[in-house]
Amino acid sequence: MTVNQGGKLTLDDLRGWELGIPRTLPAFDPDTDVPASPNYTNPDSWLVMPAHFSREKQPVDVFWVYPTILSDNVTYLMDISNAALREKAHWTLVEQASIFDGQANIYAPFYRQNNVKINPLMLTEAKPIFDLGQQDLIRAFDYFLKHFNKGERPIILAAHSQGSVRVVELSKAGELLTGDAGSLKRLVAAYVIGYSITPSDLEQNPLMKICESATETECFITYNTISDADDKEKEGPTIIPGTFVVNPLSWTTDTTFVPASENIEAVFFKHEHPKNPDRYPNFAAAQIIHNALVITNISNPEELPATSVTFPEGVYHMYDYAVFYGNLRKNVGDRIRSYLEKDNVTGK
């Protein structure tokens, strides 16, 4: 294989490679494995909100980047016209982005995300494939700014899992409001949950900072949820050594144990009754230990099954939003109010 003169892999360099962990996908062919890029002038390139979401215009916009939904054994990139995948993307609005419902206007582009099997390689060997989705999101955000937001409202960035990887990487590169101090002032906060942000990331873009209180703005929130069983941190593929962690029961980065009494409610949406999720007040306590958010005193552990080989028992990645749903929803309101009050005082 010959790498291009710039020293970076290209899509054509990957031709014939069988990429994937723990199982490889078929040999990559850039002529057939790269679906058409989304056209963001077309409404079909944007997620449509579920019918039970409120329609009132809110004073803040959310740009939502959905997590990994592509997990078959043959496809490298999401074709945004695939009906089954579009439905899975819609479900993330119900399970996760609904914390913003009635508090902010949710905008979510479809993008050519990569298969979960190349997630471990997305920033290394598979980066040319990963970058296609990044280019989609840059174009989608630009269209969102020009045609939806129009500079009229502050913005929340929000994501989970692969979506959070993408928002963090774009933010490090100065995209998504992090390119200059003036643009950053439009950011209420970035909820990049289910991934990691390290000191070296902040060195790469010093405009990025980690939230350390419930009402701080222009900052990033990150955590990865695990049990207190031995070695669970090592089993969490989204946990990078040295990462910052924000405890969503206290909204601080210290290691204080926060009891379950501070957990407003966990909320688990089920396909059988999506409008009436199962709710559990005081579901679990939480404490930052090393590089992860460890939950204990779990009232209903049956709600946290291991459903993926990627995330084994005790690695609660799939439930990062559900376990702290009530606290996340309240915090969205708190940060919005804090931002708007500050905006009124400073006349920004």
Side-chain angles (χ1 to χ4, degrees), residues 82-139:
N82 183 295
L85 292 176
R86 289 173 72 91
E87 181 57 34
K88 287 184 178 181
H90 279 294
W91 186 247
T92 72
L93 294 172
V94 178
E95 276 192 308
Q96 298 173 321
S98 56
I99 65 169
F100 303 105
D101 183 31
Q103 305 193 88
N105 313 298
I106 307 170
Y107 296 92
F110 285 111
Y111 69 97
R112 291 175 294 177
Q113 69 163 220
N114 48 251
N115 194 303
V116 68
K117 293 175 180 61
I118 63 171
N119 278 6
L121 309 172
M122 63 172 62
L123 300 181
T124 53
E125 291 95 327
K127 195 168 188 301
I129 299 172
F130 172 80
D131 283 345
L132 292 173
Q134 295 297 78
Q135 293 162 18
D136 291 347
L137 292 172
I138 289 171
R139 290 186 300 106

Side-chain angles (χ1 to χ4, degrees), residues 108 223 255:
Y223 62 83
T255 58

Side-chain angles (χ1 to χ4, degrees), residues 1 5-6 12 66 83-84 91 113-114 136 157 168 172 174 179 186 199 227 232 274 285 288 290 294 328 339:
M1 183 198 72
Q5 291 184 349
D12 203 56
Y66 52 82
W91 186 247
Q113 69 163 220
N114 48 251
D136 291 347
L157 302 175
V168 169
K172 285 161 55 178
R186 300 181 61 193
S227 77
K232 288 302 162 186
I288 298 170
H290 303 305
V294 175
L328 285 166
Y339 183 98

Side-chain angles (χ1 to χ4, degrees), residues 90-274:
H90 279 294
W91 186 247
T92 72
L93 294 172
V94 178
E95 276 192 308
Q96 298 173 321
S98 56
I99 65 169
F100 303 105
D101 183 31
Q103 305 193 88
N105 313 298
I106 307 170
Y107 296 92
F110 285 111
Y111 69 97
R112 291 175 294 177
Q113 69 163 220
N114 48 251
N115 194 303
V116 68
K117 293 175 180 61
I118 63 171
N119 278 6
L121 309 172
M122 63 172 62
L123 300 181
T124 53
E125 291 95 327
K127 195 168 188 301
I129 299 172
F130 172 80
D131 283 345
L132 292 173
Q134 295 297 78
Q135 293 162 18
D136 291 347
L137 292 172
I138 289 171
R139 290 186 300 106
F141 192 73
D142 183 65
Y143 190 87
F144 156 77
L145 288 180
K146 291 178 179 176
H147 298 277
F148 300 142
N149 178 267
K150 301 178 183 177
E152 296 171 353
R153 293 172 298 280
I155 296 165
I156 294 173
L157 302 175
H160 185 242
S161 195
Q162 181 179 157
S164 292
V165 178
R166 292 181 176 280
V167 172
V168 169
E169 289 301 308
L170 288 170
S171 297
K172 285 161 55 178
E175 301 287 348
L176 310 184
L177 304 180
T178 60
D180 60 84
S183 296
L184 187 66
K185 289 184 183 301
R186 300 181 61 193
L187 179 68
V188 176
Y191 293 82
V192 287
I193 296 165
Y195 187 52
S196 297
I197 299 177
T198 66
S200 64
D201 294 333
L202 303 192
E203 289 175 9
Q204 184 170 332
N205 186 347
L207 289 176
M208 295 172 63
K209 64 178 180 178
I210 303 299
C211 298
E212 296 191 358
S213 75
T215 56
E216 189 176 1
T217 60
E218 301 168 27
C219 56
F220 286 68
I221 297 146
T222 184
Y223 62 83
N224 292 277
T225 314
I226 61 173
S227 77
D228 62 350
D230 292 341
D231 295 326
K232 288 302 162 186
E233 181 182 316
K234 296 177 183 177
E235 296 179 13
T238 59
I239 302 174
I240 299 174
T243 182
F244 296 96
V245 186
V246 176
N247 189 330
L249 296 188
S250 63
W251 300 107
T252 67
T253 57
D254 64 44
T255 58
T256 302
F257 173 83
V258 185
S261 59
E262 296 300 311
N263 188 315
I264 296 171
E265 66 173 356
V267 178
F268 298 89
F269 289 86
K270 308 293 173 64
H271 286 279
E272 313 88 80
H273 45 86

Side-chain angles (χ1 to χ4, degrees), residues 91 94-96 98 263 265-284 295 298-305 316 318-326:
W91 186 247
V94 178
E95 276 192 308
Q96 298 173 321
S98 56
N263 188 315
E265 66 173 356
V267 178
F268 298 89
F269 289 86
K270 308 293 173 64
H271 286 279
E272 313 88 80
H273 45 86
K275 294 185 181 181
N276 296 290
D278 296 331
R279 300 175 181 274
Y280 302 94
N282 312 133
F283 181 81
I295 60 171
I298 301 168
S299 66
N300 296 82
E302 71 278 4
E303 293 286 2
L304 304 174
Y316 299 135
M318 305 298 292
Y319 311 103
D320 283 330
Y321 274 75
V323 170
F324 305 102
Y325 189 94

Side-chain angles (χ1 to χ4, degrees), residues 2-70:
T2 302
V3 179
N4 69 331
Q5 291 184 349
K8 296 181 180 180
L9 288 172
T10 66
L11 287 172
D12 203 56
D13 292 328
L14 298 181
R15 187 184 298 273
W17 283 35
E18 295 181 358
L19 297 165
I21 296 174
R23 177 176 175 176
T24 59
L25 299 171
F28 179 72
D29 183 348
D31 298 328
T32 58
D33 288 328
V34 178
S37 59
N39 173 8
Y40 293 110
T41 66
N42 185 340
D44 284 344
S45 291
W46 294 85
L47 274 166
V48 177
M49 299 300 106
H52 63 272
F53 275 28
S54 63
R55 296 292 185 183
E56 290 182 25
K57 185 172 247 187
Q58 303 297 330
V60 172
D61 289 345
V62 174
F63 189 80
W64 170 253
V65 183
Y66 52 82
T68 304
I69 56 175
L70 177 60

